[in-house]
Amino acid sequence: MTTILIVEDEPAIVELLRVTLEAERYTVRETDSAETAWQMIAEAPPDLLLLDWMLPGQSGLALAKRLRQQTRTKALPIIMVTARAEEEDKVAGLETWVDDYITKPFSPRELKARIKAVLRRQTPEASDVPLQAGLLALDPVSHRVYCDGKLLTLGPLEFRLLHFFMARPERVFTRTQLLDTVWGDDADIEERTVDVLVRRLRQALATHRLDAMLETVRGSGYRWNPEKQNDITATV
Ligand code: CA
C-alpha cells in the first residue's frame, strides 16, 4: 500500500487531492501544517509527500529543506504544490529541494501522472507497477507473487524484500541497506537477521527453482539477478 501525506491548508484543495488519490487506491493522510507533518513523518514516513508551499506557520519549502537534511528523510519523494500568482518567479531553484512541483490549478490527470513518475523514479518498489523476472511476477497492488501463474506464498517481510530486489535488478546491497529497507533504519536488529530472511525467501523461491536469482555477493551482500532464471529453465 502506497501512503501519500498531503500538507495543505486550503480545504477545497485537500478535498480534490484526497478524492483523486483515493480513487487511485493510495492511502491518504493529511495535515494543514508543516509542524504537524514533521511529527507525522518522524512517526511513520509516507511513500510520498504532497506539499503546499504557502502554509500558515512554517512554509512548505522550509519543511522540504529540513527533510532533505535528515538521513532518514533525505530521499523522501516530495511534490511541491505552488500557487501561480505568488510563486511563479521563485520555482526556478525548487528542484534542489523537491522532486517535482505542480502549479494550481491542476488537473487530476496531471497530478496522477506526476505522482506515478516520481514514485517510479524514487522508490520503484513503492509504485503499483507490476514487476516481472522471467517466470516470476510480483503484483504490488494485491501483494501477490506468481511463478508461471501459480501463487507463491510469502510472509510480509519476504514479500517486502523480494519487492525491493525485483525493483532494483543487478545492484548489490549490503546487509545494512537491506535492514533499513525491510525493517526501517530505527530497528534494533542484527545483520544476521537479514541472512535468515534471505534464506527464507530463497526456500520459497526454490519450490519453483528460482532461488538462484537471489545471489550472494561474497564480502558485500546480495544481488537480484533475473538472468539466472534462464539457466534454470533451460535445464528443466
Ligand atoms: Ca496554502
Side-chain angles (χ1 to χ4, degrees), residues 101-120:
Y101 63 88
I102 188 163
T103 308
K104 297 179 209 176
F106 49 83
S107 72
R109 213 172 117 208
E110 186 186 4
L111 176 72
K112 284 185 279 189
R114 283 175 186 251
I115 288 173
K116 285 215 166 81
V118 168
L119 283 177
R120 205 170 297 142

Side-chain angles (χ1 to χ4, degrees), residues 6 13-23 28 30:
I6 300 170
I13 303 274
V14 174
E15 182 67 17
L16 171 68
L17 292 172
R18 194 199 315 118
V19 169
T20 305
L21 299 179
E22 284 180 349
V28 177
E30 56 192 60

Side-chain angles (χ1 to χ4, degrees), residues 98-153:
V98 300
D99 297 283
D100 199 1
Y101 63 88
I102 188 163
T103 308
K104 297 179 209 176
F106 49 83
S107 72
R109 213 172 117 208
E110 186 186 4
L111 176 72
K112 284 185 279 189
R114 283 175 186 251
I115 288 173
K116 285 215 166 81
V118 168
L119 283 177
R120 205 170 297 142
R121 202 165 68 220
Q122 284 280 327
T123 54
E125 84 280 9
S127 79
D128 287 342
V129 180
L131 298 170
Q132 189 91 30
L135 293 173
L136 197 65
L138 183 145
D139 178 8
V141 177
S142 65
H143 266 231
R144 287 199 167 132
V145 179
Y146 296 91
C147 176
D148 205 9
K150 292 193 197 91
L151 189 65
L152 185 69
T153 309

Side-chain angles (χ1 to χ4, degrees), residues 50-51 53 78-83 87-88 90-96 98-104 106 110-111 114 118 121:
L50 215 48
L51 182 60
W53 188 329
I78 302 174
I79 297 179
M80 183 74 86
V81 180
T82 73
E87 295 138 5
E88 196 172 40
K90 300 182 206 154
V91 297
L94 206 51
E95 272 109 348
T96 313
V98 300
D99 297 283
D100 199 1
Y101 63 88
I102 188 163
T103 308
K104 297 179 209 176
F106 49 83
E110 186 186 4
L111 176 72
R114 283 175 186 251
V118 168
R121 202 165 68 220

Side-chain angles (χ1 to χ4, degrees), residues 41 45-49 67-68 73-78 99 122:
I41 293 164
D47 296 297
L48 183 138
L49 186 61
L67 291 168
R68 286 291 181 256
T73 53
K74 76 176 172 215
L76 177 68
I78 302 174
D99 297 283
Q122 284 280 327

